[in-house]
Amino acid sequence: MKHVEAEQVQKSGLQEVLSVRDFARRHRLKKDEEERLVTLFGGFATRAELLSNARRSAVFR
């Protein structure tokens, strides 16, 4: 194991916080899925959190 000083650790950039309702509208999520995400995150979350937790139904032609 290697000891790392706090000054050597690079901090990643800030993450963009999105509105859950705007995300749901842009990704064409159903209303019940939007409400589930709002309940889960409370209105705002990062893009990675929303993408990993959103469920989309399959679209067949």
Side-chain angles (χ1 to χ4, degrees):
M1 185 178 283
K2 182 179 175 185
H3 178 74
V4 178
E5 293 295 328
E7 293 82 26
Q8 293 174 342
V9 178
Q10 294 181 359
K11 295 182 181 180
S12 62
L14 298 176
Q15 294 183 356
E16 181 182 7
V17 177
L18 305 172
S19 165
V20 174
R21 297 203 187 274
D22 290 341
F23 175 85
R25 188 179 60 237
R26 275 189 250 128
H27 290 272
R28 297 181 187 148
L29 299 179
K30 292 183 179 179
K31 194 68 174 170
D32 59 335
E33 181 61 17
E34 177 184 338
E35 291 302 320
R36 188 183 75 80
L37 290 173
V38 168
T39 302
L40 184 63
F41 294 114
F44 294 96
T46 64
R47 181 179 305 276
E49 290 173 331
L50 290 169
L51 287 173
S52 64
N53 286 289
R55 299 181 201 148
R56 278 191 74 183
S57 58
V59 178
F60 297 102
R61 294 181 190 189

